[in-house]
Each structure stands twice: as C-alpha cells, then as structure tokens.
C-alpha cells in the first residue's frame, strides 16, 4: 500500500481529542469504489454522499475534526 503524506498539525490532534471528549466520532465506511465518511455526533449519524479514495478520506476527516472543534469549542 502506498504511504500517504498527510500534513497534520498540533491543532488537528487537539481538535480530534476535543471531538472524542464531546462524543463526536468520524470514521470511514467501506463501499464499492472507496469510502464514505460517517459522523456520529452524540448518536446523530450523518453519512457523506460522496465516495472518497484513501487520500481524500484522510484529508476530509482531519478537515471535519477541525470544523467541529472550531464551530462548537467556544
């Protein structure tokens, strides 16, 4: 498997930890042709309509952690 070079900062990891502590989980679902992203926000399930490849999946996952962190960590 090809190694992916995904840039993550300390803020990305802080955002992911914050999401976990607030019961927001982002994870891949394997589908034909790639992956969909599923978000479990305190029991509310949201599934992406888009199918991602492995690289896009990881980039979008980190973007989503930052999105939730910045939107709700006030």
């Amino acid at each position: 498997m090809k190694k992916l070079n995904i840039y993550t900062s300390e803020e990305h990891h802080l955002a992911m930890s914050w999401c976990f502590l607030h019961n927001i989980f982002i994870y891949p679902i394997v589908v034909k042709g790639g992956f969909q992203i599923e978000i479990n926000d305190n029991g509310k399930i949201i599934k992406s309509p888009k199918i991602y490849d492995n690289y896009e999946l990881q980039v979008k996952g980190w973007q989503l952690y930052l999105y939730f962190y910045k939107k709700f960590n006030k």
Side-chain angles (χ1 to χ4, degrees), residues 8-64:
T8 58
S9 67
E10 188 174 322
E11 185 179 31
H12 285 98
H13 293 275
L14 177 65
M16 183 174 67
S17 296
W18 182 91
C19 286
F20 289 172
L21 289 171
H22 291 87
N23 296 312
I24 300 170
F25 302 98
I26 300 165
Y27 46 88
I29 303 294
V30 178
V31 296
K32 185 176 182 177
F35 305 92
Q36 286 181 296
I37 294 175
E38 192 165 280
I39 302 165
N40 181 336
D41 181 1
N42 288 282
K44 180 181 177 188
I45 305 295
I46 303 162
K47 188 184 287 189
S48 69
K50 182 177 177 182
I51 296 176
Y52 297 90
D53 66 25
N54 194 21
Y55 179 81
E56 294 170 321
L57 168 75
Q58 292 191 40
V59 170
K60 187 64 173 181
W62 286 112
Q63 288 174 347
L64 287 167

Side-chain angles (χ1 to χ4, degrees), residues 1-6 54-55 58:
M1 178 177 269
K2 181 180 160 187
K3 183 176 179 184
L4 303 175
N5 293 319
I6 308 291
N54 194 21
Y55 179 81
Q58 292 191 40

